[in-house]
Amino acid sequence: MRHCAGFMSQIGGWNRNEPNQAGILSVWKDLHCYESFIQHQHAEIFGKSDQGSTYKNISVDIFESISNIGTTDITDVVDKVKLLRVAEYSVGNVKRARFEQVLKDAGNRGMIPGMLSGAFGKRQNGRYLAASLWENEDSHQRYADNEWPALINESGVKDSIQRISVSLIELHPMWAVI
């Protein structure tokens, strides 16, 4: 995939919360590059790798980038991380603009110790994604226990979040395409 136009990086591993579930995060320059890859190159790569025999179900979600967390681009640290936190939010229509602003503000605050990078994305119907890369589980746990709840409470968007789903992906170096 490294040779595919617009491909930036990919990481993945097993979901700690659902041990039989894998998670993969791919970063593309833009939607056009991704769609061109799917249309022209994916079938050949998929066939050669025999990926179809490795799973029963698959779900692919595409999110448009809203902002980065901090100043380090997510593609600059994918080879240094141990843990990927993926949080997906469903937000009511009335509060979407406010929720997006909170995400942008959180990204501008920068990272907390142990977080190497991250990004926020959105898609239709009020779905949002926060992907953050962590150097270890302890740093992530401090964030999950202290930083994130405080941010949600002070932002005033807690009541507008209809659903939160969090996956912790223990990354495997063999799954990385950098």
Side-chain angles (χ1 to χ4, degrees):
M1 286 182 39
R2 288 181 189 99
H3 66 279
C4 298
F7 175 77
M8 299 175 76
S9 66
Q10 177 175 291
I11 53 176
W14 295 104
N15 185 344
R16 287 188 178 175
N17 302 333
E18 300 284 337
N20 293 323
Q21 184 182 73
I24 296 174
L25 177 69
S26 294
V27 181
W28 291 82
K29 179 182 173 190
D30 55 36
L31 184 59
H32 173 75
C33 290
Y34 171 76
E35 289 174 339
S36 178
F37 162 75
I38 291 297
Q39 186 175 19
H40 301 288
Q41 297 162 306
H42 181 263
E44 180 182 346
I45 293 171
F46 182 81
K48 286 181 179 178
S49 69
D50 194 34
Q51 289 178 356
S53 67
T54 65
Y55 60 86
K56 293 179 186 175
N57 300 312
I58 188 169
S59 173
V60 176
D61 291 316
I62 300 169
F63 289 82
E64 176 189 349
S65 178
I66 295 176
S67 65
N68 288 333
I69 300 172
T71 58
T72 304
D73 190 273
I74 203 166
T75 60
D76 292 338
V77 295
V78 293
D79 59 336
K80 300 173 183 73
V81 298
K82 305 288 187 225
L83 189 66
L84 166 65
R85 178 183 194 264
V86 178
E88 188 176 333
Y89 306 90
S90 292
V91 178
N93 195 22
V94 176
K95 298 276 188 163
R96 289 180 191 163
R98 174 69 182 132
F99 188 75
E100 286 184 30
Q101 188 59 51
V102 167
L103 293 178
K104 289 176 185 175
D105 292 346
N108 289 336
R109 283 185 181 180
M111 296 174 292
I112 66 164
M115 183 190 294
L116 300 177
S117 185
F120 297 116
K122 70 176 180 176
R123 63 177 293 157
Q124 296 175 338
N125 302 324
R127 289 180 55 202
Y128 296 86
L129 180 88
S132 51
L133 302 173
W134 298 86
E135 64 184 2
N136 60 52
E137 189 170 350
D138 291 339
S139 297
H140 168 263
Q141 197 59 53
R142 279 191 302 277
Y143 169 80
D145 291 344
N146 303 312
E147 304 290 332
W148 183 246
L151 176 64
I152 291 297
N153 285 334
E154 80 178 45
S155 68
V157 297
K158 185 176 182 178
D159 293 337
S160 64
I161 299 173
Q162 298 170 335
R163 185 180 67 84
I164 300 175
S165 170
V166 177
S167 298
L168 294 176
I169 309 298
E170 186 172 333
L171 299 174
H172 291 276
M174 295 294 294
W175 293 29
V177 182
I178 304 168

